[in-house]
Amino acid sequence: MPTLIDCSDLKKTFITGETETHALKNATCTINQGEFVAIMGPSGSGKSTLMHLLSFLEKPSGGTYLFEGEDITTFDEERISELRNQSIGFVFQAFNLLPRLSVWDNAELPLLYDFYTKLSRSNKKKRVTDALKSVGLSHREEYQTQYLSGGEKQRVAIARALVNDPKIIFADEPTGNLDSKSGLDVMRILQKLHEDGRTIIMVTHENATAQHAERILRLKDGIIIKDEKVENRLIAKDIKELK
């Protein structure tokens, strides 16, 4: 598989007054197209910082980051914004939906800020329709998201992440606010997207959730201390419904 992300000695330092906080130190990793990777570590280990750097939300303080062979540290803000819009889909623990908008309108939001591909209205409509169908919410498209269950809200968030046809989906604690059954439903969707060729990078503190990935990057004190293949990987579609 082609290499999508290649990081070497990646660093991130936050400066507050005279205090320096080294959130990430010498992080080195490679992620190939089509992989499903979990990032784990205790609070303060740097896992969220690593995700923010990999998804272009933050710039590294040092080291190298090659995305599809290009050094992203040389990109200007316009190019970074284009990459975020075209290459990245985000799924958050808190869903980050607009509660008074419909399921359809929430899923469509990234397309309203698409200044690059200039899709026709019919193509945009097809993308939203396909995204909602892929998460099983075609029948809910007119509902305001404030009336949905937590699991349904997260499925809307996944649909929203899909509409720009991203190369990578970043999922930050995607099951953290869900009960076990809803969390398993979300993992079924993420694994299906992975089977269809999507690259998934997921931050989680839950070992059971991480076991749905192919690889786990374990962080401690801002350093990747282990890069391990998941043995006996959990396949969500094979797990019986939880009651």
Side-chain angles (χ1 to χ4, degrees):
M1 293 183 289
T3 299
L4 200 57
I5 289 172
D6 189 2
C7 297
S8 180
D9 296 327
L10 210 58
K11 303 176 181 68
K12 184 62 180 181
T13 301
F14 296 99
I15 300 175
T16 306
E18 297 181 356
T19 303
E20 290 189 357
T21 302
H22 301 283
L24 201 66
K25 314 167 193 173
N26 306 103
T28 297
C29 66
T30 299
I31 297 174
N32 295 327
Q33 183 177 320
E35 285 196 289
F36 190 160
V37 179
I39 299 173
M40 294 196 73
S43 296
S45 63
K47 57 184 183 294
S48 292
T49 300
L50 178 59
M51 189 191 78
H52 289 169
L53 295 183
L54 296 183
S55 60
F56 318 123
L57 293 176
E58 299 270 0
K59 287 187 175 181
S61 304
T64 60
Y65 177 10
L66 302 182
F67 183 78
E68 293 189 311
E70 294 186 89
D71 184 356
I72 64 100
T73 61
T74 65
F75 294 169
D76 59 22
E77 285 299 326
E78 182 177 356
R79 177 67 176 129
I80 289 292
S81 295
E82 181 181 359
L83 271 178
R84 274 198 301 263
N85 182 270
Q86 297 298 302
S87 299
I88 305 298
F90 293 99
V91 179
F92 301 99
Q93 178 178 354
F95 318 131
N96 292 355
L97 302 176
L98 298 179
R100 296 187 182 277
L101 291 186
S102 69
V103 166
W104 176 280
D105 290 339
N106 270 277
E108 186 188 30
L109 276 174
L111 297 176
L112 302 181
Y113 299 96
D114 175 19
F115 308 114
Y116 306 101
T117 58
K118 303 188 186 311
L119 292 171
S120 67
R121 180 58 192 165
S122 61
N123 283 336
K124 288 181 178 181
K125 183 176 180 180
K126 184 177 187 308
R127 284 200 178 187
V128 178
T129 298
D130 290 347
L132 291 176
K133 182 179 180 181
S134 72
V135 299
L137 285 176
S138 298
H139 64 300
R140 288 277 196 264
E141 61 183 41
E142 298 300 326
Y143 279 58
Q144 288 185 0
T145 56
Q146 63 183 323
Y147 299 122
L148 300 180
S149 68
E152 288 173 325
K153 289 177 180 177
Q154 194 61 291
R155 285 152 60 191
V156 176
I158 295 172
R160 181 184 58 193
L162 289 173
V163 293
N164 274 339
D165 192 24
K167 294 177 180 177
I168 309 174
I169 294 176
F170 284 91
D172 188 4
E173 300 281 6
T175 63
N177 280 346
L178 304 179
D179 59 52
S180 297
K181 181 181 182 302
S182 297
L184 185 59
D185 288 340
V186 165
M187 295 315 302
R188 286 194 181 101
I189 292 170
L190 291 179
Q191 284 192 326
K192 177 62 167 62
L193 293 173
H194 172 240
E195 289 172 7
D196 292 342
R198 301 279 181 181
T199 304
I200 313 284
I201 299 177
M202 175 180 67
V203 170
T204 183
H205 67 277
E206 299 171 340
N207 280 309
T209 299
Q211 293 300 311
H212 289 86
E214 296 176 305
R215 288 168 58 199
I216 300 176
L217 300 179
R218 296 190 184 273
L219 278 78
K220 183 179 181 181
D221 298 329
I223 299 171
I224 297 176
I225 59 171
K226 197 170 185 180
D227 182 349
E228 63 188 46
K229 180 180 178 181
V230 175
E231 303 293 344
N232 301 315
R233 183 185 179 205
L234 295 178
I235 305 301
K237 66 182 180 182
D238 294 338
I239 299 175
K240 294 181 179 180
E241 287 287 342
L242 300 175
K243 297 182 180 180

